[in-house]
Amino acid sequence: MMHGNSRGIVNMHILDMATRNGYVHDPTTIQLLFEISQALHSDTDLVNMKNDANQQQARFISRFVRMVDYGVEYERHLAFLMECRGALSNIIELKINEHVLSVCSKLIETAKLCLNAKDKYLTSTISFLHKNLPAAAISSSIAI
């Protein structure tokens, strides 16, 4: 079993190799890489570690989160981002709110396509959410 710095280096190499060639689509691979990201994140000693090493780990984790793609399974992607938000919240570079907005926007567009033209109330509600969701996210991030 590896401990400390050697485990962190191996985890960074795994994340680098997995995201180097494009998006990650396989749910099993995504789960494995998420667990590796969590381990890498929990091994990070924010007080005693050099800032450069800390930033490098954050970049690898952030790139992994950006490279996850569930295709048209937007709900699943949104659930993944919420899980990341809870587990990897200390990483400033992650910008989870921007990813959540992107996936929510895709969900809204899909819902609009699925609705009948007769259901004007739902269509107008979805349009309202689509227009106002970014503003709500900005104001909530300012409040935090």
Side-chain angles (χ1 to χ4, degrees):
M1 179 114 211
M2 291 186 288
H3 297 285
N5 195 30
S6 60
R7 181 172 60 179
I9 291 170
V10 169
N11 285 339
M12 284 194 296
H13 282 295
I14 291 171
L15 284 176
D16 181 41
M17 289 186 300
T19 58
R20 184 181 300 161
N21 294 326
Y23 290 98
V24 182
H25 302 284
D26 180 53
T28 306
T29 304
I30 291 170
Q31 183 60 37
L32 174 67
L33 294 175
F34 178 70
E35 290 172 9
I36 289 171
S37 296
Q38 283 182 302
L40 188 60
H41 180 62
S42 66
D43 286 346
T44 303
D45 184 1
L46 298 173
V47 176
N48 297 322
M49 184 175 270
K50 293 180 184 176
N51 206 12
D52 291 340
N54 194 14
Q55 288 178 353
Q56 185 178 20
Q57 288 179 346
R59 279 193 302 270
F60 281 116
I61 294 170
S62 183
R63 183 172 71 183
F64 157 65
V65 172
R66 283 191 314 269
M67 298 306 287
V68 167
D69 182 20
Y70 281 101
V72 295
E73 295 183 48
Y74 303 121
E75 293 92 350
R76 194 169 192 186
H77 197 155
L78 191 57
F80 168 76
L81 291 173
M82 292 297 104
E83 192 173 3
C84 289
R85 186 178 191 183
L88 309 169
S89 61
N90 295 349
I91 300 176
I92 295 169
E93 297 170 0
L94 209 49
K95 299 178 182 174
I96 292 289
N97 285 341
E98 292 176 13
H99 295 296
V100 169
L101 285 176
S102 173
V103 174
C104 283
S105 180
K106 290 176 184 174
L107 273 170
I108 289 169
E109 289 301 319
T110 302
K112 284 168 87 174
L113 292 173
C114 293
L115 288 175
N116 292 333
K118 294 178 184 177
D119 203 346
K120 293 185 187 255
Y121 174 74
L122 283 177
T123 305
S124 63
T125 302
I126 289 173
S127 295
F128 174 80
L129 285 173
H130 190 252
K131 290 177 185 173
N132 293 305
L133 190 62
I138 290 169
S139 65
S140 69
S141 65
I142 291 171
I144 296 172

